[in-house]
Amino acid sequence: MSGTENVRRRRNVIAASVAAGVLLAGGGGVYLAATASGDARPDGAAAKDAGGPPPPLRLGSGGSGGPGIAPGEPDPSGGAHGTVYKAKGPLPQGPSSAAVHRPEGLVTSAEVTRLAEALGVEGRPELVGDVWTIRPEKDGSGPRLDVMKAAPGSWTYSWYDGGPVGDACLKGPACPPPGAAKPPASGRTPVSEAAAKAAAAPVLKALGQDDAKVSADQVMDGSVRVVNADPVVDGLPTYGWSTGLRIGPDGRPVSGSGTLKEPAKGATYPVVGAVKALAELNEKAKGAGPVGIGGCATDPPAGVEGSGGDGPAPVDGSGKADPAAPCRPTGDTAPPTEVPVTGAVFGLAAQDVAGERVLVPAWLFTADPVDAAPYTVTETAVAPEYLAPVKPSPDEGTAPARRIESYRTAEDGRKLSVTFWGGVCSTYTAKAVESPAKVSVRIDEKSDPGRACIAIAKEITLTVELQSPLGGRPVVDAASGESVPRR
């Protein structure tokens, strides 16, 4: 995958019409004020805020959260030379303060039943460990719903169309694994966007997400239409908290995932305006080249435009690259890519805080490159003085953390292949940890410190086998906590 291909992977952005926002054009702008979560007074904050300042936030993936991207959208770092986001008009100041929203409470059987009825799943929820489940009996044919008991109540839904008849399924290897997805109906026409949204409406209502911003322009496998819904929480649009449903050609959901419990309002923090947030985003998006290996720390990877290379070197099945190419001296002074910003909306973006997924006040910027479709980048809006530095893990520094660039699946979602940049002299392995809510993948690196090694980065793809088909579960980079886009 070249840098050019990465830039061209775009997804249409859904314009958020609620909350503080601005549309930029020709030097003018319109500011839409919102008061739901942006009141200057912390009167809606948790009781712990009343006696003093809120506690500092320790965000994952870097002290200030880092720029975020939606699945399928380009990396805001922009490749080897970085990206500069330039506003095409004035940016809004936004509110002076806003609250974080945290998962709270436990999912009840009644809540699971309400969701199951909306999905057309019959049966009573059974608590198996920490998961509420309604599963098919005997041959495994039919729908299955799993919901984590603890908030936010991450859930997955799938449909299996058949298997051995009778009790043999319970004993033999042909029985479908938990969460196996209904195979797509090839050769059939997908339902229209309007029909897909109508099919998703009862599910969104059961989740309390009637006001979510919904898109249905994506089609998978030629016949399954994908509905993505970004819920509104406390009057603000969200990012990274989506509900996803796949609607089959018969108009019924065939799989889906999301969260059942709306996060509760927590501490209120002072926030910065869009101008300052965009400046911070640009500071983080400055390109320093790919991960440094040896003496060529800023050399762009082979195959990236401007690198002078002939393309990625072959990589064997173990993930070890062929160290045949020489190390090239640095000296590439190409300017960063400039991308216009045509919109800014104040909202809430999902971040890892103290080991849990939390909605944090953020600015959602619409980037609109001249040669591709618009996409969204986010920047945390919490004032920097309220962001605590990240504590390094005990093994941090022994090997550079490598962000997984993309993933793809094969064999009905059981084979998961991840792509990342690595050194030519190191050997890499991939490990996957599955849950009903997500699949986390970690890349481990092994190198020989005594070996003289050329310094160049290569694109590497590794494949892991999942216990259950991926279905609608997101793939998460375990090192960074970020969602990985599908390629």
Side-chain angles (χ1 to χ4, degrees):
M1 175 179 57
S2 69
T4 302
E5 289 171 341
N6 188 41
V7 170
R8 292 188 182 277
R9 294 200 318 268
R10 311 292 192 188
R11 188 177 70 139
N12 289 336
V13 66
I14 306 169
S17 61
V18 296
V22 63
L23 298 178
L24 312 175
V30 178
Y31 175 54
L32 307 175
T35 59
S37 188
D39 200 310
R41 298 173 294 105
D43 51 1
K48 58 177 174 282
D49 292 337
L57 285 177
R58 192 180 303 277
L59 303 182
S61 308
S64 58
I69 54 174
E73 293 175 0
D75 187 339
S77 62
H81 307 298
T83 298
V84 173
Y85 294 99
K86 187 174 182 180
K88 307 303 288 185
L91 291 170
Q93 176 59 35
S96 59
S97 63
V100 300
H101 290 72
R102 299 175 178 270
E104 189 174 285
L106 299 174
V107 175
T108 66
S109 175
E111 290 172 320
V112 177
T113 299
R114 184 173 67 246
L115 174 59
E117 290 175 349
L119 288 166
V121 180
E122 298 180 354
R124 297 179 51 136
E126 177 184 358
L127 189 59
V128 180
D130 295 327
V131 179
W132 289 106
T133 183
I134 304 176
R135 64 184 70 182
E137 298 180 359
K138 294 188 177 181
D139 68 352
S141 176
R144 170 170 177 150
L145 177 64
D146 292 296
V147 184
M148 295 294 294
K149 182 180 179 181
S154 298
W155 60 271
T156 58
Y157 163 76
S158 58
W159 185 294
Y160 183 73
D161 251 352
V165 178
D167 293 338
C169 176
L170 300 177
K171 304 171 184 177
C175 185
K182 177 181 180 179
S186 58
R188 300 182 62 183
T189 303
V191 298
S192 67
E193 292 187 31
K197 291 179 181 180
V203 179
L204 297 178
K205 184 175 182 180
L207 295 168
Q209 298 177 7
D210 317 55
D211 53 357
K213 295 299 173 182
V214 180
S215 67
D217 54 353
Q218 182 184 0
V219 175
M220 297 183 63
D221 303 314
S223 60
V224 178
R225 189 167 292 278
V226 180
V227 177
N228 288 310
D230 295 310
V232 175
V233 173
D234 202 15
L236 294 176
T238 59
Y239 179 94
W241 206 265
S242 299
T243 295
L245 288 167
R246 297 181 183 182
I247 308 300
D250 59 359
R252 294 190 304 171
V254 296
S255 65
S257 63
T259 56
L260 184 52
K261 299 280 283 189
E262 180 173 329
K265 192 171 184 178
T268 298
Y269 291 84
V271 295
V272 300
V275 172
K276 189 170 183 178
L278 186 62
E280 183 64 21
L281 175 63
N282 279 327
E283 183 65 26
K284 295 172 184 172
K286 287 180 180 178
V291 178
I293 315 285
C296 292
T298 59
D299 211 23
V304 174
E305 184 177 352
S307 69
D310 295 325
V315 178
D316 62 26
S318 66
K320 190 171 183 178
D322 179 10
C327 174
R328 298 186 302 276
T330 59
D332 190 346
T333 57
T337 302
E338 185 174 298
V339 176
V341 169
T342 56
V345 177
F346 188 82
L348 300 169
Q351 289 275 0
D352 287 326
V353 178
E356 67 176 347
R357 204 68 170 160
V358 175
L359 285 173
V360 177
W363 283 98
L364 319 181
F365 295 104
T366 301
D368 193 4
V370 295
D371 60 346
Y375 61 94
T376 299
V377 288
T378 72
E379 177 59 30
T380 302
V382 175
E385 59 267 29
Y386 290 91
L387 298 176
V390 176
K391 293 180 179 179
S393 60
D395 59 348
E396 189 169 325
T398 58
R402 303 188 185 278
R403 181 180 183 275
I404 300 174
E405 296 286 338
S406 63
Y407 78 90
R408 64 178 184 269
T409 58
E411 297 185 14
D412 296 329
R414 285 180 163 278
K415 296 284 188 180
L416 177 66
S417 297
V418 294
T419 299
F420 58 97
W421 291 102
V424 296
C425 296
S426 296
T427 300
Y428 300 89
T429 57
K431 298 179 180 178
V433 177
E434 301 182 52
S435 74
K438 62 183 179 181
V439 174
S440 296
V441 180
R442 178 175 295 278
I443 303 298
D444 292 323
E445 176 183 356
K446 184 178 181 181
S447 58
D448 183 358
R451 178 184 177 187
C453 182
I454 61 174
I456 191 170
K458 296 292 183 181
E459 186 181 70
I460 299 172
T461 297
L462 298 178
T463 300
V464 294
E465 186 167 352
L466 303 180
Q467 295 179 354
S468 302
L470 180 63
R473 294 178 293 177
V475 176
V476 175
D477 182 292
S480 65
E482 298 178 2
S483 294
V484 179
R486 179 189 291 269
R487 182 169 65 179

